[in-house]
Amino acid sequence: MAQRQQAGLTTLRVGLLQNAPEFGAVDANLAGIRELHEGLSGPVDLALTPELSAHGYGFTPHRDADLLSVDDPRLEALVSAGVGVGFARRNPSGLPWNSYLLGDPLTGARHLQDKLHPVSYAPWNEHLSFRAGDGLRTADFGAATVATAICNDMWHPVVPWLAAQGGAEVLFVPVASMAGEDEARIRRTWEVILEHAAVLLQCYVVFVNRCGAEGGSRFWGGSRVLGPDGRVLAALGDEPGSAVAELDLAALRRLRAEVPMRAEARTDLLPAPAGTTPAPKSSESEPLHV
C-alpha cells in the first residue's frame, strides 16, 4: 500500500475511478474499472468507484443471473487490489442489496456496506429493486478509520453523523446522481451535503459519482475529494477518468483534538429506543419550549 510515514506525517492516498457503467454489462464494467485503476498516477492505498459501478443503474430490477456474491472471483480480483466496487449483491431470500465492497491489500480485511435508504420515490423506486441494509459499519484501513454512505444515505444527516461518532475519519460516498431537469440545483445540493459533512464532522469526504447515460438519464460525474476545511483536493469532470488525492490524517487528528466537536456531542439527548425507559430528567433545569 502507499501508506507511509514522512517526518511523523501519516498519509493515505485515495484514487477516484469515475466510470460510465452499462446496465447489466457486468464483465465489461469490471474490465473498465480495471483499466481506470491501471491508469492512476502512482500507487494508492484505496481506489473508489461509484454506486453500482459493476452493474449500472437501469431504473429497473437487475437480472438474477447478473447478481454477484461477495466472494465472486470477478470482484475479488479488484477488491484484493484495493479497489472499492459498487454492485447488486445476491440475497438468497429475496431482493438483492445495493452493496459496496472494499478490501485492504495488506491485511486482506473486507468492508461491506449495504445501502440503508433505497430511494422510495420515482423515478428511482429503488425500494422495488433492493432490500435496505441493516447497519452502518466502520473499518480500519491502513492509516485510517473509514465508513461508507451510499448516495441517498447522505441525504439522511444521521448517517454521516453516526459514522463520525463511530470513529470514521474518511467518509466514502459512492453515488449515481443524475443531472435531471435542474442540474445546477442537484450539483449545488451535493456541494452543500459534502461540505457540511467534511467541516462539521471533521473528516475527509471522498465523493465518487458515475457519468454517462442510462435509461434516458444523464449522470453528471463531478467526483471529488474534500478536506475537513471543505476545500476540494481533487476533482473530475463529466467524463470517465481518474484522479488521486493525499489525505493528511495526522493533521485531521490534530484538528479533532484541538476542536473536539465530536466529543462535545450530547448523545444523551438522543431518543430512547422503543421499549426502553428514558433517563430521568435533571431537577436542576428544564428544557426551553419555543
Side-chain angles (χ1 to χ4, degrees), residues 53-78:
S53 56
H55 281 87
Y57 200 80
F59 299 94
T60 188
H62 295 265
R63 296 189 311 164
D64 185 72
D66 292 332
L67 302 177
L68 300 177
S69 60
V70 292
D71 57 358
D72 189 290
R74 291 171 292 178
L75 283 181
E76 178 61 25
L78 284 167

Side-chain angles (χ1 to χ4, degrees), residues 43-62:
V44 296
D45 295 296
L46 291 170
L48 285 303
T49 67
E51 176 184 17
L52 293 173
S53 56
H55 281 87
Y57 200 80
F59 299 94
T60 188
H62 295 265

